[in-house]
């Protein structure tokens, strides 16, 4: 059982999510080049932020996406919607300028581009999408269409 979380990632993994358009590469964490890398839709530029974490929850009123994008300004993040109901969240973190006099002891923060795409369900109001960013968290809210409940009328039964 301990192999399952490490192999498939977190409990919110999108591997089996029918609405996620991410391409899962089982060899992505191995030190050698991936056999599927030529088939993958990700370029090496987007791999730096491939682990950008995004939560998608559905409330009675809306679909809410929350993305961790620490250190990015809102100008460095794009939220787009394609005609076929696909939400795309992308951005780029640039590499810090190096000074010749600096000595780096450790570089752990990633830089580069990221892109995540999600197929939205039919009940999403595509014309009312809102996005905000606060403390390194991007929040995209997509209201849901109201489900009209059928009018139920009682019918009197005569004998």
């Amino acid at each position: 059982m301990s192999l399952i979380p490490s192999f498939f990632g977190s409990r919110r993994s999108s591997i089996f999510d029918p609405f996620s358009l991410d391409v899962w590469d089982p060899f992505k964490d191995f030190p050698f080049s991936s056999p599927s890398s030529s088939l993958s839709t990700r370029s090496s530029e987007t791999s730096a932020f491939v682990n950008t974490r995004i939560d998608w929850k559905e409330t009675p009123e809306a679909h809410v996406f929350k993305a961790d994008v620490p250190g990015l300004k809102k100008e460095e993040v794009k939220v787009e919607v394609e005609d076929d109901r696909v939400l795309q969240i992308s951005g780029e973190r640039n590499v810090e300028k190096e000074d010749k006099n600096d000595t780096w002891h450790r570089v752990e923060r990633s830089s580069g581009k990221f892109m995540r795409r999600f197929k939205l369900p039919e009940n999403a109001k595509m014309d009312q999408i809102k996005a905000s960013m606060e403390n390194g968290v991007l929040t995209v809210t997509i209201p849901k269409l109201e489900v009209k409940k059928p009018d139920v009328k009682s019918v009197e039964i005569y004998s």
Side-chain angles (χ1 to χ4, degrees), residues 11-98:
R11 66 179 174 82
R12 296 182 185 165
S13 177
S14 63
I15 295 169
F16 300 109
D17 183 356
F19 297 112
S20 177
L21 298 178
D22 291 340
V23 178
W24 179 63
D25 183 359
F27 302 103
K28 73 176 172 95
D29 293 326
F30 288 99
F32 54 84
S33 68
S34 167
S36 63
S37 63
S38 61
L39 302 174
S40 176
T41 58
R42 286 187 204 136
S43 69
S44 60
E45 292 179 315
T46 61
S47 64
F49 266 127
V50 81
N51 289 328
T52 297
R53 302 292 185 204
I54 298 181
D55 294 338
W56 175 4
K57 73 176 176 179
E58 183 175 352
T59 67
E61 299 82 29
H63 294 275
V64 181
F65 293 82
K66 290 193 178 224
D68 288 339
V69 288
L72 293 183
K73 300 173 188 160
K74 68 178 184 175
E75 296 81 18
E76 297 170 320
V77 178
K78 260 197 234 182
V79 177
E80 301 171 311
V81 179
E82 296 177 7
D83 291 335
D84 53 346
R85 308 183 79 76
V86 175
L87 173 69
Q88 179 173 299
I89 300 172
S90 61
E92 181 174 9
R93 176 180 292 147
N94 296 319
V95 180
E96 273 188 42
K97 294 181 181 177
E98 293 185 29

